[in-house]
Each structure stands twice: as C-alpha cells, then as structure tokens.
Amino acid sequence: MATTSEDSSKRHFHWTNKVGNEDDEVPSFKSSSNPKEEDKNENVKSHVAMPTPKKKLPAVAVARLRSVLAALGRNRSSLPLGLGSRVVGTLFGYRRGHVHFAFQRDPTSPPTFLIELATPISGLVREMASGLVRIALECDKEKEDQKKAVKLLEEPMWRTYCNGKKSGFATRKECGHKEWKVLKAVEPISMGAGVLPGCSAEAGADGELMYMRAKFERIVGSRDSEAFYMMNPDSNGAPELSIYLLRV
C-alpha cells in the first residue's frame, strides 16, 4: 500500500510538472477538478468583465432633452415662421400712398416678409391692368470681410424695378398695428381684389385702402435668389404678377 500511494503521488507530481512545462496556465488544470468552483469563478469573471451600465447617465440625458423641448415650446410663439413652397401674398396701400407687400405662411400667421415700395399703388394698378407685371427687388452682397449670415428675406433695403423700369427703393418693415389690422381684415379672402374703408386722416380726402390677395408659388434658386409667382385660379397662362428677390 505504501508503494502504491508513493507511485500515485509520483505520477501526479510528474503530470503537473509536465503540464506546467508545456503550458504555463497551471491553475486552469487544477481548477477543473472542482466543476462547481469553476462555474463560480467563471461567474465572477463575467461580472468583472462586463460591468452593469449606470442608469444615471440616460436619466440625465432625458432630463436635459425634456428641458430643451419645454423651452422651445415656451418660445415657439415668438419664433418667426418660415415660408413654404406656397404662400399667401397681400398687396395693399392707400390710393395716394405707397405699395405694401406681405408674404405669409398662412392667412392667420404674421408676415415673414413685409416691404414698402416707393411705387404708388395707383401706378401699379395701371401696370397690372395693361398686362403682366414683373417686379424685381435687388440688394447688394456683403463683402467677404463683412459677410454676415443674413437671410435673403431679412435684407433691409432693395432697389426696385417694375417691368424693367427703375422704381426707386423698397424697405423692409416690421408688422405693426396698422399693417396687422389690414391683414386681419382680408384674412377670410383667399383670392381677390377690392377696397377697404380707411382712415381719412392718414390717407387724405380719399381714405380708401386698395388690396389684392392671392396665393403665390415660391421658388428658391439659391441663398441669393427667390421668386414668387402668383397662381391663377384656372391654372392657364402666365402669372399676372411675379416678384423676384436677388442679391447681386
């Protein structure tokens, strides 16, 4: 019995040395003698290798997103609305006054583009009665060293040409109480022209305000060019009124 135990210990010692010489990962052979302990060690290693993700970071990100959306919702009413491919255009002015032109996204929204032309509205009415009217508004580009990120519809001053003839300058205006009163008065009108009762103290003895309202198709050529074509109800023929904005 002594000889047998001694031989078995020698064989075991020789096996471990042989394995140790061929492969340095001796603990892996020793741990295989106990399967339960091996499973336990593997579980520990897996927990160490793949730590559980922290739940605090996603919660912070969601909270920030909610705060940004809430701020946008509060300020949405004060942000200017952009124009789409089809807009509402309103031309108005007193008989002895200048032409005002407003573009709105829809009849209830404030105008995104409102200008006052030096052309008297009586002269523009005569031009439109004689045929097609093309109005070109031009402004200058900023120099490279003075270039600012100004949108085309936000340019303050324009040179005006009506059917190729120079017609003074046009200036961009903010929509005040008087302009908004006119737009609200013609809000139910989708397309048409007419006269509204005005204020004689402002308009002289006549006191009537002329208007024309229609839908326009908006074409954006580049950041320096846009065009607005009045849409005819019957969709036949060329548009009676076209307005071109150019930055040259």
Side-chain angles (χ1 to χ4, degrees):
M1 292 296 293
T3 304
T4 303
S5 61
E6 183 178 357
D7 292 340
S8 62
S9 63
K10 287 181 180 181
R11 285 196 299 270
H12 179 68
F13 182 80
H14 177 71
W15 168 252
T16 54
N17 282 343
K18 184 177 180 181
V19 173
N21 293 332
E22 292 179 358
D23 194 348
D24 293 336
E25 295 182 359
V26 177
S28 62
F29 289 97
K30 292 183 179 181
S31 62
S32 62
S33 60
N34 193 345
K36 294 184 179 180
E37 185 177 0
E38 181 181 1
D39 295 339
K40 184 177 180 180
N41 292 335
E42 289 296 331
N43 293 333
V44 173
K45 289 180 180 180
S46 64
H47 283 293
V48 173
M50 294 184 295
T52 56
K54 296 181 179 180
K55 296 182 179 179
K56 192 172 184 180
L57 291 178
V60 172
V62 171
R64 289 180 179 177
L65 180 59
R66 287 178 178 175
S67 62
V68 171
L69 293 177
L72 289 176
R74 289 192 301 268
N75 299 330
R76 182 174 297 176
S77 58
S78 61
L79 293 176
L81 295 177
L83 292 176
S85 59
R86 294 190 177 185
V87 300
V88 178
T90 307
L91 182 152
F92 61 93
Y94 291 104
R95 289 185 181 273
R96 299 181 183 180
H98 294 164
V99 178
H100 292 72
F101 214 101
F103 284 123
Q104 299 168 269
R105 183 169 185 167
D106 56 72
T108 61
S109 63
T112 304
F113 184 67
L114 174 62
I115 59 170
E116 180 181 359
L117 283 68
T119 306
I121 194 167
S122 57
L124 183 61
V125 169
R126 286 194 300 268
E127 288 284 345
M128 296 187 68
S130 61
L132 305 179
V133 177
R134 304 287 183 267
I135 298 177
L137 303 176
E138 291 184 356
C139 63
D140 296 325
K141 286 185 179 181
E142 295 287 343
K143 297 180 180 180
E144 291 297 330
D145 56 345
Q146 299 178 352
K147 186 174 289 187
K148 299 178 182 179
V150 178
K151 295 181 180 180
L152 185 62
L153 298 179
E154 296 177 353
E155 291 286 352
M157 186 70 67
W158 304 83
R159 292 184 297 273
T160 308
Y161 299 87
C162 183
N163 286 344
K165 296 180 293 185
K166 192 170 184 180
S167 303
F169 291 88
T171 55
R172 187 175 183 272
K173 297 189 64 177
E174 297 295 331
C175 184
H177 174 71
K178 298 175 183 178
E179 292 80 12
W180 185 243
K181 185 178 180 180
V182 175
L183 296 177
K184 294 298 290 184
V186 298
E187 181 179 312
I189 303 172
S190 60
M191 180 172 293
V195 177
L196 296 175
C199 178
S200 58
E202 296 180 5
D206 203 333
E208 290 182 341
L209 186 140
M210 304 177 66
Y211 74 90
M212 188 192 74
R213 191 169 174 86
K215 291 183 179 180
F216 286 75
E217 182 181 6
R218 178 189 179 215
I219 305 296
V220 179
S222 65
R223 66 183 302 271
D224 297 322
S225 64
E226 293 189 20
F228 297 86
Y229 301 98
M230 190 174 73
M231 302 172 63
N232 296 326
D234 52 3
S235 300
N236 294 326
E240 297 179 4
L241 175 62
S242 301
I243 300 177
Y244 304 91
L245 307 182
L246 302 172
R247 187 155 46 190
V248 297

